[in-house]
């Protein structure tokens, strides 16, 4: 382990929760991820930080050609500049900025040896030598960006003519990052978008330079090894290398949740461990041909590949176990940081809601307009807003930003299923079916739980920073993973890093399941609910799918039995009652009639 670098990163959270997290943590060596979906939010934040740091600001109007990409580039350039200046100040004025430098040291996995070396240098060398050592030893964290590949809607000109695909939402966001000064990673999530992936070919920063170095890297968020290999080879054919495969739990994560056919996190990570070299070899062979076809020089050796994981990690023991058992490079810690206002944009009402939330309050919902399961918390102000609308006889939200427009049931151009336009028509259709009162209400309740995530996942950022949004509603959607239910203290960045590295325990006295068992329970519950929905159906294809789903889970349970037997004398925290729990889940799966 390199004790000069952190072994965790802060993943993207919502649209706004981590939109400026690098400003808060990157100069301290911690990597984090910005969502680049909402250019309106980024433009507001660029103005906010320009004012805060006394920098010139010139707004980019929606009337400017390619305004979305230009806004994103301008915002990322500003964040890059601010982080560089904060880091330079930490180094150059280390005597004045002792508290910040001390903070950097204190949060490292093992700060003692570095601090001793630093003290020795101060006592025995020149200030310039100390600065030179600090620069080479304490690196800033990465300022990575995330694009959800499915959010790639078509845009139109003033004559209502469709613009070329490069002006689609995700394409423009990619261009915004590609044209920025950042040297970091583009995290692509939510599955493969071949047209978007092909668009990466247009930007030189994604190709290796003469030394084989990449200014801009690709990170793929993947659910299994097969998907990683397919996507990695697809991009390699175009001369694009995937530098990191970020494995996320299918259900035990924040935000949108994608069930992985019953494949569990442990067996998935084990396959990556066993086939890591295969992944490198097969993608590198394809990359060399891809570079040759583009007239670019082949590489002497494969660039670095990192394998990381995230989703449900909550203790130092789990963190270290994943790193060691699966040879991972880093672990993502997301939801616990939602209780760290120093890191995330979280308004007071939402912060207190999360602090007091228990297991029953954090749940897998159908609140997303994308029709994908969404990890949610009961009692958010957006849910309160929906109830108020319903009391007033209104359904749905006015559609303002249109990032999640996908439905074409009633219109030629896609609209959002959380919008008033859609729900008015859909509910009228339900009422015309002649259903029983109970069945009709059940369908309407399902429809009206949809939240306006475009506004809901950004409003907290406006509230925290005292920024007036472009739109009048201020209700907040929250997207924590189930893991947040076990954290009940508002913490500082120092306290959270101490918890991650085992110097403190924020979960003392808290009853919390092992991360593998928590995910397993979520999959068992998910399968049970899906089978309940299929009652009375004769859909053989669906039943066949869920038979395979159950088989994959049974194989996963078998794998966990073997895994924990390897650690008979260790992992006391993770192993508590684990065999009893695994057997109970096995029996439950057997009881499902498919």
């Amino acid at each position: 382990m390199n004790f000069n670098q952190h072994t965790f990163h802060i993943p993207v959270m919502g649209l706004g929760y981590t939109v400026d997290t690098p400003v808060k943590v990157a100069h301290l060596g911690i990597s984090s991820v910005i969502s680049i979906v909402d250019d309106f939010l980024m433009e507001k934040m660029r103005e906010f930080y320009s004012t805060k740091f006394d920098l010139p600001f010139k707004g980019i109007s929606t009337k400017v050609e390619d305004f979305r990409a230009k806004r994103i580039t301008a915002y990322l350039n500003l964040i890059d500049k601010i982080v560089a200046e904060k880091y330079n100040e930490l180094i150059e004025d280390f005597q004045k900025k002792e508290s910040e430098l001390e903070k950097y040291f204190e949060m490292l996995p093992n700060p003692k040896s570095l601090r001793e070396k630093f003290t020795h240098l101060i006592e025995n060398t020149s200030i310039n030598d100390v600065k030179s050592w600090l620069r080479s030893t304490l690196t800033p964290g990465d300022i990575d960006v995330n694009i959800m590949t499915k959010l790639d809607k078509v845009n139109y000109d003033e004559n209502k003519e469709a613009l070329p695909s490069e002006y689609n939402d995700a394409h423009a966001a990619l261009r915004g990052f590609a044209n920025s000064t950042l040297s970091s990673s583009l995290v692509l999530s939510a599955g493969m978008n071949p047209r978007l992936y092909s668009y990466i070919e247009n930007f030189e920063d994604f190709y290796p330079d003469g030394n084989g170095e990449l200014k801009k890297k690709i990170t793929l968020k993947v659910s299994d090894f097969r998907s990683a290999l397919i996507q990695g080879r697809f991009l390699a054919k175009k001369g694009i290398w995937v530098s990191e495969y970020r494995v996320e739990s299918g259900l035990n994560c924040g935000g949108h949740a994608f069930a992985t056919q019953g494949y569990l996190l442990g067996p998935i990570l084990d396959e990556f461990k066993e086939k890591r070299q295969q992944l490198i070899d097969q993608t590198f062979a394809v990359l060399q041909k891809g570079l040759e076809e583009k007239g670019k020089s082949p590489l002497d050796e494969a660039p670095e590949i990192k394998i990381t994981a995230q989703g449900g990690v909550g203790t130092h023991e789990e963190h270290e176990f994943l790193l060691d058992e699966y040879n991972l490079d880093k672990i993502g810690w997301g939801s616990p940081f939602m209780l760290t206002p120093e890191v995330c944009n979280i308004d007071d009402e939402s912060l207190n809601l999360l602090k007091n939330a228990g297991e029953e309050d954090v749940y897998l919902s159908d609140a997303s307009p994308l029709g994908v399961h969404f990890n949610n918390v009961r009692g958010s102000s957006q849910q309160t807003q929906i109830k108020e609308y319903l009391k007033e006889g209104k359904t749905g939200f006015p559609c303002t930003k249109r990032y999640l427009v996908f439905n074409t049931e009633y219109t030629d151009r896609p609209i959002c299923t959380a919008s008033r336009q859609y729900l008015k028509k859909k509910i009228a259709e339900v009422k015309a079916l002649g259903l029983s009162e109970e069945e009709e209400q059940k369908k309407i309740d399902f429809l009206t739980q949809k939240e306006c995530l475009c506004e809901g996942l950004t409003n907290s950022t406006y509230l925290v920073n005292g920024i007036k949004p472009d739109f009048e509603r201020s209700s907040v959607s929250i997207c924590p993973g189930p893991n947040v239910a076990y954290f009940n203290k508002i913490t500082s960045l120092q306290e959270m890093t101490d918890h991650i590295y085992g110097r403190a325990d924020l979960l003392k006295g808290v009853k919390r399941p092992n991360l593998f068992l928590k995910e397993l329970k979520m999959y068992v519950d998910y399968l049970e609910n899906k089978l309940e929905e299929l009652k009375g159906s004769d859909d053989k294809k669906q039943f066949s799918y869920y038979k395979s789903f159950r088989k994959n889970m049974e194989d996963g349970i078998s794998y966990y039995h073997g895994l924990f037997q390897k650690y008979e004398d260790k992992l006391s925290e993770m192993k508590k009652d684990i065999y009893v729990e695994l057997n109970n889940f096995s029996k439950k799966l057997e009881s499902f009639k498919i």
Side-chain angles (χ1 to χ4, degrees), residues 28 67 216 250 346 380 434 444:
L28 299 170
F67 72 90
K216 289 185 170 66
I346 182 91
S380 70
I444 290 173

Side-chain angles (χ1 to χ4, degrees), residues 101 320 334 355 489 529 567 580:
L101 188 59
E320 291 299 313
K355 180 172 80 79
K489 296 173 185 170
N529 290 335
Y567 294 93
V580 173

Side-chain angles (χ1 to χ4, degrees), residues 25 29 287 336 453 489 510:
V25 304
L287 178 79
L453 298 184
K489 296 173 185 170
V510 175

